[in-house]
Amino acid sequence: LVSTSDIQFSKGDAVSAKAAELCKNAKTDEEKVVAIYNYMADRYSYDYKLANEITSGKITKYIPDTAATLNGTTGMCYVRGNVPHEGIPCALTKGYAGSSYHAWNKVNLNGSWYQIDLTYAVTRNVRNAKNLHDCVSPLTYTNTSDTLAAAAA
């Protein structure tokens, strides 16, 4: 899977409203990450049909529609959490998980980057995180590149 476009967020959009709703009771940035992770891991399933259409070449350009994803229940590795809206630095990272080209997220808390892979979470049923450690992916990634994300001002 080769991604063709990064996801764009806009201040005040439905994604930022959902992020605010999910994080309204969070007292720390870690609690915000856990709240968003749990929502996404519980709500979404991996869209194997879309992934197969892209890898087969049937779909040659994929630009994620954040509103459609937010309102749906499926997504793929390009679905990114809403943490940029909550003032938490986030990067969309692309590279390899094993031999598969993939995209996942990194979040920066207290100066350290943590890999959050929601594809891993939804395909392996890793849910109900209690803390940041529960959200961090155990996979080994190689040949990576990052795109920093920030909510629009």
Side-chain angles (χ1 to χ4, degrees):
L1 169 63
V2 178
S3 54
T4 58
S5 178
D6 290 333
I7 299 170
Q8 300 299 313
F9 295 104
S10 300
K11 186 175 182 170
D13 66 8
V15 174
S16 64
K18 177 52 88 175
E21 175 189 329
L22 295 171
C23 296
K24 68 183 174 195
N25 295 322
K27 294 176 180 45
T28 66
D29 286 347
E30 180 177 333
E31 288 176 357
K32 291 176 183 180
V33 170
V34 171
I36 291 168
Y37 173 95
N38 281 333
Y39 173 80
M40 295 187 77
D42 288 342
R43 178 178 174 86
Y44 293 98
S45 61
Y46 189 72
D47 193 337
Y48 289 100
K49 181 179 181 285
L50 177 60
N52 288 336
E53 288 177 348
I54 292 170
T55 56
S56 72
K58 184 175 181 181
I59 294 175
T60 57
K61 185 174 183 180
Y62 175 59
I63 301 174
D65 180 336
T66 58
T69 301
L70 181 64
N71 293 322
T73 57
T74 60
M76 42 187 282
C77 57
Y78 229 77
V79 175
R80 178 177 23 210
N82 306 325
V83 294
H85 294 289
E86 292 302 310
I88 301 169
C90 180
L92 174 65
T93 304
K94 301 171 194 170
Y96 288 85
S99 61
S100 299
Y101 189 73
H102 185 51
W104 62 98
N105 307 296
K106 288 182 185 174
V107 296
N108 189 298
L109 296 173
N110 302 316
S112 295
W113 287 96
Y114 299 91
Q115 299 191 103
I116 311 292
D117 188 339
L118 286 160
T119 300
Y120 177 83
V122 300
T123 58
R124 290 178 176 78
N125 216 14
V126 181
R127 298 186 166 124
N128 303 313
K130 304 288 187 247
N131 54 47
L132 179 64
H133 180 267
D134 294 344
C135 301
V136 174
S137 172
L139 299 179
T140 300
Y141 303 99
T142 59
N143 299 326
T144 63
S145 64
D146 296 334
T147 303
L148 285 179

